[in-house]
Amino acid sequence: MRKIGIVGAGQAGLQLGLGLLKNGYQVVITSNQTPDQIRNGRVTSSQCMFDRALENERALGIDFWKDAPPVEGIQFSLVPGGQTAMQWSSRLDRPAQSIDQRVKMPRWMTEFEKAGGELRIADVDMAGLEALEQECDLVIVASGKGEIGKLFQRDETRSPFDKPQRSLALTYVHGMEPRKEHSAVNFNLMPGVGEYFVFPALTLSGPCEIMVFEGIPGGPMDNWANVKSPQEHLAESLRILKEFVPEEYARSKDCVLTDDLGILAGRFPPTVRKPVLALPNGAVALGMGDSVCLNDPITGQGSNNASHCAAAYLTAILEHGDRPYDAAFMQATFDRYWDYAQFVVGWTNNMLLPPPEHMVKILGTAQQNQKVAHWFVNGFNDPRTYFPTITDPALTDAFLAEAMGAAA
């Protein structure tokens, strides 16, 4: 029986580990936190997952939150100078869902051990990787935001940004007034300021809303370094809404924090890294998830990417049989994932830049044409559907002309 070692107990590592156990592999997963430490710790992400990613969980029987608040659509608003200049929405074909990782990961860790996996609580460094490689047929690093993930070499050709493009913050709250039409990700674009989006989720204390702030560095939404307490974090969140997104402030003004650890602030540069890590002893390890493809959360694809990466790697391992897991296998396995991830990376990185005219046309036309709105909203479920339409103004114009003609 082949033995796989996975460093990191997040969306990618645990999903892959559970999938391997179901297919008869031995699996050891290392985590630097116990389930209780994760459950009692700080929020780590906003993790809105769309249907294709949720289907990966359903296929493994690890979708334990069927009654969680659904995310039924997406609304887009353009809000220059605090005034709503454009607003439209459309429903998703199948709802999305967000489960606080403090709820999800401890449950998955328990299921992993129940299924026969070995969970080790340890900080793994290079020496630890070498030791794990000695006992396993394959070692995978799925710890993207930790120090060990940074051991993988940055891929200059796929990483156009060398510094953070947004100042980021999360605020988990109770008490927000629901949308009237249907639940949704409310995505607000404030030119020259940043972006704000908010959506329903499930946290430790039940249904909640997650506020996500994406401020342009040095701009008026980039004040999180001066926030010293949870209540100051909430106050800063509401200040931003009151000044820049008054419609959102109106339904958020009575919010309270879900808990004092339901907040997060930070920044990081979007980075793609090379997937094969050479160890000092001559062996190699394979990177996955955020360790090799770390996106800005502006398009809400982080946990979706992790899920699709785990699914691609599971298929690659099962197809590989009993052959050696050499560097060529590792590169080919990453390339299988990159066939999908390249579109997410391209779309996400472009969203961090001032929008070109043809993208402005798409958003403007969506306000008038439900076919365009539906296409754009459901692209969050599979960003490949945006391509090549969003890459070429002529293709964009042709698509919009066809949609408008059909409507007429």
Side-chain angles (χ1 to χ4, degrees), residues 383-401:
R384 294 174 297 184
T385 61
Y386 293 141
F387 293 82
T389 303
I390 66 170
T391 64
D392 185 333
L395 294 176
T396 299
D397 287 345
F399 167 72
L400 295 180

Side-chain angles (χ1 to χ4, degrees), residues 231-250:
Q231 286 306 314
E232 286 185 16
H233 184 104
L234 176 61
E236 176 64 10
S237 302
L238 295 177
R239 179 198 71 79
I240 290 170
L241 297 185
K242 188 174 184 179
E243 182 173 353
F244 297 108
V245 205
E247 285 189 16
E248 293 289 357
Y249 175 75

